[in-house]
Amino acid sequence: MPGVNIGGWHYAGDFDLRVESQAGEAYILALAYEQFHPEIDVTAIDQNRHRVEIHEPDGKNDILQQVENGALTVVRSYQALGRLYRGIICSTLRQYAMLGDAAAMTDGVVGNDDDRWIFTEDNSFRAISTSAQLAGAARALRGFNDKLAQECLDIASDLYHNTNLAPFMAGMKLQAAVELYLTTGEVEYLDFILAQQDLIVKSIARTGWFTARIVKQLEAKKDKHSRQFVKAFRTALVDYKASLDQQASETPYGVPYRPSIWGAGWDIQRFGFEYYFLTAAYPDIFPKETVYNALNFVLGCHPGSNTASFASGVGARSATVAYGLNRADWSYIPGGVVSGTALIRPDFPELLEFPFLWQQTEYVLGGGSSHYMFLVLAAQK
């Protein structure tokens, strides 16, 4: 498939590219850049030569280069296929189960049995979520790669207007409308957002964090509809804060934590990421300490006899046996963030030092390390 062999990241140890992982990772990094503008340049990325050199500055902001890297795989595949891919993956089980460097998976010759496969699907949920993510990435890429930024925006708009959604997906369309409005300022998207007041209020735990940025802008407007919207939104946030306080009081960790069979680290990081936007917009309702609590949980303030940091290589003791591509070596990838403490029934919190327990020690994209980096930047700010 000409044109699609560009950009993207391998998954933890699975060597697959899922569209939600690629677009989602670019989106998280784009919001991190938008909020904090970190000036980091310790990596050289040459997309034309397909080459990356770590510890080698190239005069370009690393986070923006990574936003570009995620956007490229989604945009170029969409242009080649006329639709989003579901994923790109190796063609045999032997390749998929391979341990070690991904370069060993292929001889690099086109047309052999080791070529990777690209799949598509009809999936309205992923289409509309990708619309939101590409719209956010477009803002970060402006001034860095203007052509790609416009391509992201064009595809985001296309997906927004041409995806048939079931009624229960209105919340996903709302997030796309928010990101498209922040990127374009077009009234069409604002009108849709204002029309969703009941949905936003009823689903404030899910919609509040991304809608808050729009509502703060509406506070300057004097029309009756905007004032009603702002008031209803704030009232819903107060109720949501009371619910969060109740959940946080159930454990000593200062964040909502209801353990399950899968490690909760990613969920708590995602919660801290979303909570940041609430405390940034409404510090009188949402105290900033909760951001620190979410970060502290990841860094070791969590249950179990193993209180290692979930971020490999970060902290006095950390998860340095993890489910990455080098798991067979009982090794780790610096900066990878594992899923963390899981609950083994009936009620035993556990974080074993064993690399093949992906429900405790897996690295991921579309969160994981990027949510961790966002939390660190938020705490610094």
Side-chain angles (χ1 to χ4, degrees):
M1 180 70 65
V4 305
N5 185 24
I6 187 170
W9 306 274
H10 284 131
Y11 216 60
D14 300 335
F15 303 117
D16 57 322
L17 280 69
R18 307 186 307 165
V19 69
E20 65 268 35
S21 301
Q22 307 303 313
E25 188 79 355
Y27 178 61
I28 296 165
L29 294 173
L31 293 188
Y33 182 79
E34 188 172 57
Q35 294 297 314
F36 310 117
H37 292 277
E39 292 302 324
I40 303 170
D41 178 21
V42 294
T43 307
I45 301 179
D46 187 333
Q47 293 289 354
N48 293 325
R49 298 167 66 195
H50 292 221
R51 178 172 295 178
V52 176
E53 296 282 353
I54 63 173
H55 308 302
E56 183 68 35
D58 62 356
K60 298 179 180 179
N61 185 285
D62 283 350
I63 289 188
L64 290 178
Q65 284 186 298
Q66 294 291 352
V67 173
E68 177 185 60
N69 189 64
L72 278 170
T73 182
V74 179
V75 168
R76 294 292 174 260
S77 297
Y78 187 90
Q79 291 169 339
L81 297 163
R83 60 193 301 177
L84 296 173
Y85 65 64
R86 171 68 193 98
I88 300 174
I89 195 168
C90 47
S91 60
T92 69
L93 178 61
R94 181 67 193 92
Q95 289 172 294
Y96 187 81
M98 186 192 77
L99 295 167
D101 194 327
M105 190 182 293
T106 176
D107 57 13
V109 178
V110 176
N112 289 357
D113 290 340
D114 62 14
D115 286 353
R116 289 161 65 80
W117 289 349
I118 187 166
F119 289 84
T120 69
E121 66 176 350
D122 291 318
N123 190 314
S124 299
F125 178 86
R126 267 186 276 272
I128 200 65
S129 62
T130 302
S131 172
Q133 291 157 349
L134 288 180
R139 292 197 304 275
L141 289 171
R142 285 174 175 168
F144 181 79
N145 186 333
D146 289 325
K147 181 177 183 294
L148 182 60
Q150 187 60 50
E151 291 171 323
C152 286
L153 181 57
D154 290 344
I155 294 172
S157 177
D158 186 28
L159 293 171
Y160 178 88
H161 290 101
N162 297 311
T163 300
N164 294 320
L165 298 174
F168 71 88
M169 296 182 187
M172 295 303 304
K173 187 172 184 180
L174 172 66
Q175 186 173 2
V178 167
E179 296 299 343
L180 282 163
Y181 178 70
L182 290 171
T183 304
T184 68
E186 294 178 7
V187 70
E188 167 197 359
Y189 304 116
L190 181 59
D191 288 343
F192 177 82
I193 296 165
L194 293 174
Q196 303 305 310
Q197 178 176 317
D198 289 344
L199 170 67
I200 293 169
V201 168
K202 291 178 182 177
S203 307
I204 196 69
R206 184 164 50 88
T207 63
W209 74 271
F210 60 78
T211 311
R213 292 169 292 163
I214 297 290
V215 180
K216 295 306 289 184
Q217 294 182 14
L218 293 178
E219 289 180 352
K221 294 182 177 291
K222 304 300 182 183
D223 63 283
K224 182 179 179 180
H225 192 178
S226 294
R227 291 201 307 272
Q228 290 176 339
F229 188 96
V230 169
K231 181 179 179 180
F233 187 78
R234 184 179 180 86
T235 300
L237 288 181
V238 172
D239 293 341
Y240 176 47
K241 178 57 167 56
S243 173
L244 288 181
D245 288 344
Q246 173 59 38
Q247 294 178 53
S249 69
E250 296 174 1
T251 74
Y253 305 111
V255 291
Y257 173 52
R258 290 175 177 169
S260 65
I261 197 68
W262 198 280
W266 298 334
D267 292 338
I268 288 174
Q269 286 187 156
R270 184 188 306 110
F271 165 77
F273 160 76
E274 295 177 358
Y275 184 94
Y276 166 80
F277 292 94
L278 294 174
T279 191
Y282 294 90
D284 57 320
I285 302 176
F286 299 94
K288 62 185 178 181
E289 284 73 21
T290 301
V291 173
Y292 304 144
N293 292 338
L295 182 58
N296 284 338
F297 190 99
V298 176
L299 291 177
C301 187
H302 52 70
S305 58
N306 184 344
T307 53
S309 161
F310 297 161
S312 294
V314 179
R317 185 175 180 222
S318 66
T320 51
V321 175
Y323 189 95
L325 59 87
N326 52 354
R327 58 193 175 276
D329 303 319
W330 281 62
S331 188
Y332 68 101
I333 299 171
V337 179
V338 303
S339 40
T341 306
L343 189 73
I344 306 305
R345 291 188 177 97
D347 59 356
F348 303 113
E350 172 184 280
L351 178 57
L352 296 182
E353 294 186 19
F354 187 70
F356 293 92
L357 288 173
W358 64 87
Q359 67 269 38
Q360 296 183 18
T361 62
E362 184 186 8
Y363 300 134
V364 290
L365 287 166
S369 59
S370 51
H371 277 149
Y372 169 75
M373 288 188 287
F374 188 101
L375 279 178
V376 170
L377 291 168
Q380 288 177 335
K381 182 175 181 179

